[in-house]
Amino acid sequence: MEKEVRIFLRIQKYRKESWKRLCQKKNISLSSLIIDSVENRILNDERRKVLAFIEKQDNVFAKIETNINQVAKIANGQKFISSGDLKNFGEQLKTVIELKEKQNEIFKKIYSLIANDH
């Protein structure tokens, strides 16, 4: 591993304090803020937000999948589903597919950003 070196920057005291407050708010180090900003990388706090977003999306779709399975169980148990219910179910599935496609596009952009981050 390469030895780390120090770089000394001269900035106004108020600016340093402002940067430190920003780092405290974002829960990142001043070094991380400077290095990631200079190298045009995603900041650690933004990375955490992205991961939280992905986890939340996964939870939403898990709930939807559970609901789909419940409807299928009811339909199989009753051996009947009305045409209105079937149409409504089909429309909801179409919405889920559209949302999943949008989510996948967002994920592609996120992965692209993260890939360019290294």
Side-chain angles (χ1 to χ4, degrees):
M1 209 168 153
E2 198 174 322
K3 185 177 179 181
E4 292 185 11
V5 295
R6 291 182 180 258
I7 295 177
F8 295 95
L9 298 172
R10 294 184 190 273
I11 61 173
Q12 296 87 4
K13 187 174 183 168
Y14 78 89
R15 182 170 283 159
K16 179 182 176 185
E17 295 305 317
S18 173
W19 289 2
K20 286 171 75 175
R21 282 191 302 275
L22 177 65
C23 290
Q24 188 174 21
K25 189 186 325 181
K26 291 179 172 282
N27 195 25
I28 59 175
S29 69
L30 185 54
S31 294
S32 175
L33 173 71
I34 294 169
I35 292 168
D36 291 347
S37 296
V38 168
E39 294 181 357
N40 200 26
R41 294 171 48 182
I42 296 176
L43 298 175
N44 286 338
D45 72 311
E46 292 169 338
R47 185 175 282 111
R48 285 190 294 268
K49 288 177 187 174
V50 166
L51 293 174
F53 169 76
I54 291 170
E55 185 176 327
K56 182 179 177 185
Q57 289 296 99
D58 192 42
N59 291 339
V60 167
F61 281 102
K63 289 178 184 177
I64 291 169
E65 290 167 3
T66 299
N67 290 343
I68 290 170
N69 288 335
Q70 289 173 346
V71 169
K73 184 178 179 180
I74 291 169
N76 286 334
Q78 294 177 353
K79 303 292 184 205
F80 172 78
I81 188 167
S82 71
S83 61
D85 288 341
L86 187 59
K87 182 179 177 184
N88 184 32
F89 186 69
E91 289 172 1
Q92 290 178 1
L93 284 178
K94 184 178 175 184
T95 301
V96 167
I97 290 168
E98 290 170 359
L99 291 172
K100 196 72 168 172
E101 287 172 356
K102 287 179 186 178
Q103 173 188 289
N104 289 342
E105 287 300 313
I106 291 169
F107 285 172
K108 286 178 187 175
K109 290 177 184 176
I110 289 169
Y111 292 139
S112 167
L113 288 171
I114 291 173
N116 293 333
D117 199 31
H118 295 284

